[in-house]
Amino acid sequence: MAMKDYSDEFRADAVALYESTPGATYKSIAADLGVNRATLREWVLRDRERRGVTAAAARPAARHREAVASVDPDERVRQLEARVAELEASERKLATERDILRKATKYFGRGDELVMSRFQFVDDHRDTYEVKRLCQVLDVNRSSYYKWLAGAEARAARQHQDRILAEEIRQVHDESGGAYGSPRVTAELREKGRRVNEKRVARVMRMFSITGIRLRRRVRTTVPDPATSPVSDLFQRDFTATEPDLKYMGDITYLPLAGGEFLYLATVLDCFSRKVVGWSIAGHMRTSLVADALRMAAATRGGLDGAVFHSDHGAQYGSRAFANLCDQLGVTRSMGAVGTSADNAACESFHASLKPETLQGSPDYGDPGTCRRPVFAWLTRYNTRRRHSANGHLSPNEYEHRHHTAKLTLAA
């Protein structure tokens, strides 16, 4: 069934996906999203009108093709010759940049005791390449490089002091069996009469690759609320259903961004087809995150009255506000045991597929905007095109369509 009422979040992500996809057509994007082509076009045009952007400005490639078609053959030849010259110049520039980057890779991978700076690389290669080009390739400011160059004497003195401190740190670190990090190393040095702050100790430890034993950070998305009333487990690890709209399950997962930040994704899946009927992405894990996902599910299905919704014991799902929303929608809540991921295994498996396929080997998605686009595209294509093993390798939409068709045939 098509969604009856699209959320503002869904519309904004749909428009962003269309505008950011080179060569995209309304038909292709609408097919991925499972919406009507005319509906998507209306959203895009309304967004452009709101931003005061014309269709030609928004899609410069089309405008360029129209301009090219209008010129005469001789002018077209001159344009092509100019373009070839431009590409040749660009190729020469790229060849120089590749050469610089190859040397930079060897330079920064030499394993020197001190971490080599980009400014030092520029200084070491300024006789071979222009300083301007070196700074552009290494993404440094030329004025900053010259400022660095002027401070060489003072910097050498600081580096000498850092080497002395590094030897003291290494001694403390070795005495601890390699376990101490910068806070404990700093405390030990101060105990020995060394006046030093933790920031400097941490910097020198990084510079000389002296690391303590660090527990890997674990991102908790399930935080139980001890004040909530108990909710029974109505699923008992049975994540199947004989019909759509009977049993739903939901969970939250984190989406890693650059700099150690996160976005959070809440999803609602139909147990019959594994279709993602509701989701929400935000920079927090408050109750509104899971509430928005459930409201989207209600809009997608035209209501959830009589359905059962299963989740873990996260504080968001156990909150009074979420319980009230379930009551308003006619939804019966179900929860697995505390601390047992197997009681929500189907959602865990879903998220385990989403992140590797959208990250594609990257450690993070970058910034929030860059994160939302591939995740939104994956969620929509998951429903419309991605084949699911639990559905006999049919997409969730196709699986439900065949089920409804078979019911109509039997009824006839």
Side-chain angles (χ1 to χ4, degrees):
M1 295 178 63
M3 187 185 298
K4 297 179 182 294
D5 183 16
Y6 297 94
S7 66
D8 292 339
E9 180 181 3
F10 185 98
R11 297 182 188 188
D13 285 336
V15 171
L17 180 64
Y18 172 78
E19 296 285 27
S20 64
T21 305
T25 63
Y26 290 119
K27 182 178 180 181
S28 64
I29 297 297
D32 284 345
L33 302 181
V35 303
N36 185 276
R37 174 187 175 279
T39 300
L40 175 61
R41 181 175 181 274
E42 180 182 356
W43 293 346
V44 172
L45 294 179
R46 284 184 179 177
D47 181 74
R48 288 176 181 173
E49 181 180 357
R50 177 183 59 81
R51 293 184 288 120
V53 177
T54 63
R59 311 291 285 187
R63 182 179 59 188
H64 175 72
R65 288 194 297 269
E66 293 173 0
V68 169
S70 64
V71 299
D72 60 66
D74 291 339
E75 178 62 22
R76 177 59 174 156
V77 170
R78 286 192 291 271
Q79 290 180 356
L80 290 174
E81 289 175 344
R83 180 59 176 158
V84 169
E86 179 184 346
L87 291 173
E88 288 176 346
S90 177
E91 176 61 26
R92 288 192 296 272
K93 177 182 176 181
L94 290 174
T96 301
E97 292 178 354
R98 283 196 298 269
D99 191 33
I100 292 172
L101 289 172
R102 287 193 192 100
K103 292 183 178 180
T105 300
K106 295 179 181 178
Y107 187 89
F108 291 109
R110 295 186 307 191
D112 291 358
E113 184 179 8
L114 290 175
V115 177
M116 306 303 293
S117 75
R118 288 178 289 178
F119 290 144
Q120 188 65 57
F121 178 86
V122 173
D123 197 52
D124 289 348
H125 293 82
R126 60 184 300 176
D127 294 335
T128 306
Y129 306 101
E130 292 180 341
V131 170
K132 178 181 179 181
R133 177 67 69 210
L134 286 164
C135 290
Q136 287 176 341
V137 173
L138 296 179
D139 193 26
V140 298
N141 190 289
R142 253 192 306 171
S143 63
S144 298
Y145 161 69
Y146 286 117
K147 183 178 179 180
W148 173 88
L149 196 61
E153 186 175 344
R155 186 169 55 255
R158 287 196 301 271
Q159 289 174 350
H160 176 69
Q161 293 300 320
D162 285 345
R163 284 193 291 271
I164 294 174
L165 178 59
E167 289 304 315
E168 297 176 18
I169 291 173
R170 187 170 282 110
Q171 181 180 353
V172 172
H173 186 259
D174 291 344
E175 290 172 354
S176 73
Y180 279 5
S182 58
R184 289 186 172 86
V185 169
T186 304
E188 189 72 21
L189 289 173
R190 288 174 178 172
E191 183 71 21
K192 294 181 177 183
R194 185 70 146 94
R195 296 181 62 182
V196 65
N197 63 54
E198 186 185 332
K199 287 185 178 180
R200 186 184 177 199
V201 171
R203 176 179 62 80
V204 173
M205 289 182 70
R206 287 194 302 271
M207 184 180 298
F208 288 85
S209 301
I210 304 172
T211 57
I213 297 174
R214 181 186 305 171
L215 295 178
R216 184 176 180 181
R217 180 183 179 186
R218 183 176 183 269
V219 180
R220 293 189 67 192
T221 55
T222 303
V223 182
D225 184 352
T228 57
S229 57
V231 177
S232 300
D233 184 354
L234 304 180
F235 271 36
Q236 295 297 318
R237 301 187 182 181
D238 178 9
F239 304 106
T240 62
T242 57
E243 292 281 338
D245 307 327
L246 296 179
K247 296 168 64 178
Y248 294 95
M249 51 191 170
D251 200 4
I252 303 173
T253 192
Y254 70 96
L255 306 172
L257 305 178
E261 300 295 323
F262 301 95
L263 286 182
Y264 298 93
L265 168 68
T267 51
V268 179
L269 279 67
D270 191 308
C271 292
F272 173 74
S273 61
R274 299 297 199 271
K275 178 173 181 174
V276 193
V277 293
W279 70 80
S280 183
I281 303 173
H284 61 80
M285 288 198 300
R286 296 189 291 272
T287 300
S288 59
L289 175 70
V290 296
D292 287 344
L294 192 64
R295 289 191 186 98
M296 179 180 175
T300 301
R301 291 306 203 188
L304 301 176
D305 189 31
V308 177
F309 177 79
H310 183 81
S311 68
D312 57 29
H313 271 269
Q316 303 88 348
Y317 294 111
S319 68
R320 185 70 261 167
F322 188 77
N324 290 339
L325 176 62
C326 289
D327 291 341
Q328 293 170 14
L329 297 174
V331 173
T332 301
R333 291 189 298 156
S334 169
M335 286 187 176
V338 176
T340 306
S341 60
D343 287 350
N344 207 16
C347 279
E348 298 278 351
S349 176
F350 172 81
H351 292 149
S353 298
L354 181 151
K355 282 190 276 192
E357 293 182 25
T358 52
L359 283 170
Q360 297 184 346
S362 299
D364 58 68
Y365 293 93
D367 59 68
T370 305
C371 173
R372 291 186 69 98
R373 286 191 291 274
V375 173
F376 174 75
W378 191 91
L379 289 170
T380 54
R381 289 180 184 138
Y382 175 90
N383 286 338
T384 58
R385 299 191 177 187
R386 191 178 184 279
R387 299 180 183 276
H388 200 295
S389 58
N391 298 340
H393 295 288
L394 297 175
S395 71
N397 279 5
E398 181 62 19
Y399 189 70
E400 290 192 2
H401 173 72
R402 295 193 183 189
H403 175 76
H404 291 307
T405 302
K407 284 187 64 176
L408 292 174
T409 301
L410 291 174

